[in-house]
Amino acid sequence: MEEERNMERGMTADQLLAALWRRKALVGAIAAAVFAVGAAIVMTRPSMYEASVVVRVEPQRPGEEMVQRTVSELIEQRLLTVRQELLARPVLQKAIEEMNLYPDIVSEKGMESAVAQMRKDLTVRVEGETAFELTYANRDPQVAAQVANRLPDIFSSETLKIRQAQAARATDLFNEEMAQLGTAVTAWERKIAQFKVDHLGELPEQMEMNMRGLERVSHLMQTKSEELRVAEARRSDLARARNAVDSEAGRLEAAENGITRSLVQARTQWTEDHPEIKRMQGELENLTAKRKEAEGRLWAERAERTRVAQLIESIQKEIVGLQQQAESYQKRLNNTPRWTHELAVMNRDYEIARTKYQSVVSRKVEAEIAQELEAKSAKSLFNVISPAGVPAIPARPDRVTGLLICFLIALGLGVLTGAVLEMRDDSLRDGTEVRERLTLPVLAVVPDMHGKTERRILMPASGARNNVSTPTSLN
């Protein structure tokens, strides 16, 4: 409890100065020791040289209005992540391997530790909208300048590799997509061609031809119907005439037979020179001629009837054929709307696939051009506008500032030590503390004696109770 009261006891500035003066040797020793340690640390830290380079990002040419680029990210946008990309392992590892940096760390702890150390030695700051500053620190000023000047080239090459890889992937993607769409377009073309073969004559583009064919067949049917009517009338006329011809031929034949019998009988009675026989012979010859003429007409009529019958049969067959053609044309016209819908659906899907194919072909050509432009613009993406020079003086540590900080820390620790010791000291220093800390009345205060000469100070108590005066100090 006493110690806690001592710690809670306050001190004025004069009391603190007096306490420090009493312990000036201890305070000075602590301050000197701390300053010596800090100064040793500051003075033994290795000197680090910093070299800075400023790089400007050049805008891409030609612009998007001329060539559709397959790398969507503009190079100017990379400034937003330039620090992360510069501090990425591929860039730093390539620089370490190429310039043989941190050989001790690489051999002892591996490449990952070397990359981590290089990240600590690198500082990247974006300057404006199109430039960034890269600062590298190293113990060797020559190495610092070389690394600072080399890192932008490595970063540029790595960036170009990434962009060219992206452009190549886009081109390959378009190639694959074009192959797939080309197969789909070919399949649709074959399907449509087979559909047209299967429904030949019933296609929408053949509808007008079918209508004209139906009209032509209808006209022919009308013509053949008229021819059939005429042939039927002719056959009726021939049928009526046949009876008359048959009757005439029969009559003449009967008359000829009668004359022949009469002639045979007459020859039994008379000679050949008899007038009656000559008359009968003349009449027989006349009847024979008429009979033959009638039979000729009969055969002609029969031939005509046969011809007319054959003509009627031929016309009827033609009419049946025309009717079949008309039915075929009508069937085609009836099926055309259905095939028109199906063909329209297939043509729509085919046009969609063909449009996609043409679009992909166009994009593929643009992707190939963009890939070539990425390769040709390799040297114009980054421009070093302020190369790094060899630093003449180290950037850190700042030894003067370090020594000053060490001095302030040492002084502070010395003062703090003196103050803590003073607060933990429970000895009485003057009459005020005596009256504050003792519950008994103070009659007198005996001062401390210094030197060989005694000094006695009688201090009567002040106040009504003790009448002891308070000296200013016990020491």
Side-chain angles (χ1 to χ4, degrees):
M1 295 295 294
E2 183 68 22
E3 183 176 353
E4 292 179 359
R5 286 196 298 268
N6 291 336
M7 295 296 294
E8 293 175 356
R9 180 163 50 93
M11 296 179 62
T12 63
D14 294 338
Q15 291 175 342
L16 177 61
L17 291 177
L20 294 177
W21 179 253
R22 286 194 301 271
R23 295 175 173 83
K24 55 183 176 295
L26 178 61
V27 172
I30 293 175
V34 173
F35 178 76
V37 172
I41 294 174
V42 171
M43 298 305 293
T44 55
R45 287 189 61 191
S47 298
M48 299 296 290
Y49 294 86
E50 292 184 352
S52 299
V53 60
V54 179
V55 181
R56 183 175 184 270
V57 179
E58 298 294 339
Q60 291 177 291
R61 297 291 184 270
E64 293 289 337
E65 67 277 3
M66 299 177 63
V67 177
Q68 183 67 33
R69 294 188 175 271
T70 54
V71 181
S72 59
E73 182 184 18
L74 294 176
I75 193 64
E76 293 87 345
Q77 296 175 347
R78 301 189 72 89
L79 285 176
L80 302 176
T81 59
V82 66
R83 184 178 183 278
Q84 289 74 12
E85 294 180 0
L86 269 170
L87 298 181
R89 182 187 175 98
V91 177
L92 300 185
Q93 182 173 347
K94 184 175 181 181
I96 292 172
E97 294 174 349
E98 180 180 323
M99 307 183 71
N100 193 25
L101 301 175
Y102 311 104
D104 297 336
I105 298 178
V106 172
S107 60
E108 295 177 2
K109 301 181 181 180
M111 181 58 69
E112 190 64 35
S113 298
V115 170
Q117 181 59 43
M118 192 169 185
R119 287 195 183 103
K120 296 178 181 178
D121 296 337
L122 272 176
T123 304
V124 181
R125 292 192 302 272
V126 176
E127 299 290 342
E129 297 181 354
T130 60
F132 64 91
E133 181 184 30
L134 186 148
T135 302
Y136 177 69
N138 194 276
R139 297 181 183 181
D140 189 342
Q142 297 289 340
V143 173
Q146 292 175 3
V147 173
N149 288 322
R150 178 57 183 153
L151 276 177
D153 295 334
I154 297 176
F155 174 62
S156 176
S157 63
E158 293 296 324
T159 301
L160 292 173
K161 286 181 182 178
I162 295 174
R163 293 178 66 85
Q164 290 174 1
Q166 292 176 349
R169 284 196 298 270
T171 303
D172 295 338
L173 179 62
F174 284 129
N175 287 331
E176 295 176 0
E177 189 70 16
M178 187 179 68
Q180 295 178 358
L181 291 176
T183 303
V185 169
T186 303
W188 277 113
E189 289 175 348
R190 291 177 180 175
K191 186 175 181 179
I192 292 174
Q194 187 62 40
F195 181 86
K196 290 183 177 180
V197 171
D198 295 339
H199 304 285
L200 186 64
E202 300 177 354
L203 301 175
E205 58 266 22
Q206 297 172 328
M207 184 174 181
E208 184 177 357
M209 180 190 68
N210 292 331
M211 294 179 65
R212 291 180 179 178
L214 182 60
E215 291 176 359
R216 178 179 58 81
V217 170
S218 299
H219 184 267
L220 287 176
M221 287 180 63
Q222 292 177 359
T223 302
K224 291 299 179 181
S225 297
E226 182 65 23
E227 291 180 358
L228 180 62
R229 187 186 64 79
V230 173
E232 290 286 350
R234 175 63 177 164
R235 186 172 64 176
S236 299
D237 293 341
L238 290 175
R240 288 192 298 270
R242 181 181 62 180
N243 295 328
V245 173
D246 289 343
S247 298
E248 184 181 1
R251 182 179 56 80
L252 291 173
E253 184 178 1
E256 184 182 3
N257 291 333
I259 292 296
T260 301
R261 287 192 299 271
S262 299
L263 181 60
V264 170
Q265 187 177 3
R267 283 178 177 171
T268 59
Q269 298 178 2
W270 300 299
T271 61
E272 294 293 333
D273 295 332
H274 192 274
E276 186 65 22
I277 290 177
K278 289 183 178 180
R279 184 190 64 76
M280 292 177 68
Q281 286 180 345
E283 187 177 355
L284 179 60
E285 291 175 356
N286 187 24
L287 289 173
T288 301
K290 290 181 178 180
R291 180 183 61 79
K292 289 181 179 180
E293 183 179 356
E295 288 179 350
R297 288 198 302 272
L298 180 61
W299 285 105
E301 290 178 358
R302 288 178 180 175
E304 180 67 15
R305 286 197 302 272
T306 301
R307 186 189 67 79
V308 171
Q310 293 176 350
L311 177 62
I312 291 173
E313 183 179 2
S314 175
I315 292 174
Q316 289 176 343
K317 290 182 179 179
E318 290 181 357
I319 290 176
V320 171
L322 291 174
Q323 289 177 347
Q324 292 177 351
Q325 291 183 16
E327 292 177 356
S328 176
Y329 281 121
Q330 189 62 47
K331 182 179 179 181
R332 293 178 183 179
L333 291 173
N334 294 335
N335 290 333
T336 297
R338 184 176 69 175
W339 306 140
T340 299
H341 175 70
E342 294 187 10
L343 185 61
V345 172
M346 288 191 292
N347 283 330
R348 180 195 62 193
D349 295 338
Y350 167 70
E351 287 297 327
I352 293 174
R354 190 168 67 90
T355 302
K356 289 182 179 180
Y357 177 76
Q358 292 175 349
S359 175
V360 170
V361 170
S362 177
R363 293 296 304 275
K364 174 181 174 293
V365 174
E366 292 184 356
E368 292 175 348
I369 296 175
Q371 186 176 358
E372 293 178 0
L373 290 177
E374 289 291 341
K376 291 180 180 180
S377 62
K379 298 181 180 179
S380 61
L381 290 180
F382 299 97
N383 181 24
V384 178
I385 58 178
S386 178
V390 179
I393 58 175
R396 63 178 188 271
D398 187 351
R399 303 188 189 280
V400 176
T401 304
L403 292 175
L404 180 58
I405 294 174
C406 289
F407 174 75
L408 294 177
I409 293 174
L411 184 59
L413 287 176
V415 171
L416 179 61
T417 302
V420 170
L421 292 176
E422 177 66 20
M423 293 177 68
R424 294 176 63 88
D425 189 1
D426 58 354
S427 59
L428 300 177
R429 301 296 179 186
D430 53 30
T432 304
E433 292 184 3
V434 172
R435 288 193 302 271
E436 291 177 354
R437 298 177 62 183
L438 295 180
T439 59
L440 301 176
V442 179
L443 300 178
V445 177
V446 179
D448 189 12
M449 297 298 179
H450 294 282
K452 297 180 180 180
T453 305
E454 291 186 2
R455 292 181 297 172
R456 186 183 303 265
I457 302 174
L458 181 61
M459 300 176 63
S462 61
R465 296 178 58 186
N466 48 27
N467 294 325
V468 178
S469 61
T470 303
T472 60
S473 177
L474 295 179
N475 294 330

